[in-house]
């Protein structure tokens, strides 16, 4: 026997506890309860208090806090020799460059956009302030989960 979905009555919806959702403009957005809590709240708070305190993008200095390559530099020392196929941050470029080592050991190099660097832990380009490039090589083994057959054997 299947459980019936619970349907809230209008009274239950109005009396439910609202949830707080993050907002880019610095103040909280409330949802739930069947009423517009955000509109009510905005009437009771002065405009000055609603000003965002977070600055986007975070302030950093180009070529100091993050690299600003416009192309993959030539002469990089990274090699795919003795590495499993996968995706690798290049600390030589402060991780703005990442390499893909394919199943045949060939290397393909890519550039993350300015103000982003390759996050080895998640294998994506991420904002510079989220990544500690010096630790990238410690996470190279994360690639061991790639290129496996259905039984988990390396291809």
């Amino acid at each position: 026997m299947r459980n019936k979905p619970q349907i809230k009555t209008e009274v239950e919806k109005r009396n439910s506890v609202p949830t707080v959702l993050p907002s880019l403009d610095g103040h909280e957005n409330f949802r739930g309860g069947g009423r517009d809590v955000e509109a009510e709240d905005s009437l009771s708070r002065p405009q000055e208090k609603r000003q965002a305190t977070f600055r986007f993008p975070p302030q950093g200095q180009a070529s100091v806090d993050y690299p600003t390559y416009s192309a993959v530099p030539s002469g990089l020392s990274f090699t795919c020799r003795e590495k499993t196929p996968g995706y690798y941050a290049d600390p030589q470029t402060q991780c703005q460059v990442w390499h893909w080592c394919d199943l045949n050991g060939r290397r393909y190099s890519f550039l993350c956009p300015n103000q982003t660097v390759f996050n080895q832990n998640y294998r994506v380009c991420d904002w510079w302030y989220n990544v500690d490039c010096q630790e990238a090589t410690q996470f190279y083994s994360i690639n061991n989960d790639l290129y496996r057959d259905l039984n988990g054997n390396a291809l």
Side-chain angles (χ1 to χ4, degrees), residues 60-68 94:
Q61 189 174 354
S63 301
V64 174
D65 295 313
Y66 53 87
T68 55
Q94 292 177 275

Side-chain angles (χ1 to χ4, degrees), residues 89-110:
D90 191 338
Q92 187 179 355
T93 63
Q94 292 177 275
C95 296
Q96 189 179 2
V97 172
W98 60 276
H99 307 284
W100 172 45
C101 296
D102 72 7
L103 289 167
N104 297 317
R106 289 183 296 239
R107 181 187 88 183
Y108 300 90
S109 300
F110 303 89

Side-chain angles (χ1 to χ4, degrees), residues 49-69:
K49 289 185 179 179
R50 290 185 28 196
Q51 294 296 323
T53 56
F54 179 72
R55 221 177 136 86
F56 188 81
Q59 299 302 301
Q61 189 174 354
S63 301
V64 174
D65 295 313
Y66 53 87
T68 55
Y69 293 104

Side-chain angles (χ1 to χ4, degrees), residues 62-79 88-100 107-120 125-126 128 131-134 136-137 140:
S63 301
V64 174
D65 295 313
Y66 53 87
T68 55
Y69 293 104
S70 58
V72 175
S74 60
L76 296 175
S77 61
F78 184 90
T79 178
Y88 296 90
D90 191 338
Q92 187 179 355
T93 63
Q94 292 177 275
C95 296
Q96 189 179 2
V97 172
W98 60 276
H99 307 284
W100 172 45
R107 181 187 88 183
Y108 300 90
S109 300
F110 303 89
L111 187 67
C112 289
N114 284 336
Q115 294 193 8
T116 67
V117 293
F118 192 73
N119 186 326
Q120 184 66 50
C125 292
D126 197 353
W128 61 271
V131 179
D132 184 351
C133 183
Q134 299 304 316
T137 57
Y140 279 0

Side-chain angles (χ1 to χ4, degrees), residues 132-151:
D132 184 351
C133 183
Q134 299 304 316
E135 293 182 358
T137 57
Q138 296 174 27
F139 297 107
Y140 279 0
S141 62
I142 199 168
N143 288 302
N144 293 338
D145 68 344
L146 300 174
Y147 303 104
R148 301 283 176 174
D149 65 15
L150 295 176
N151 296 321

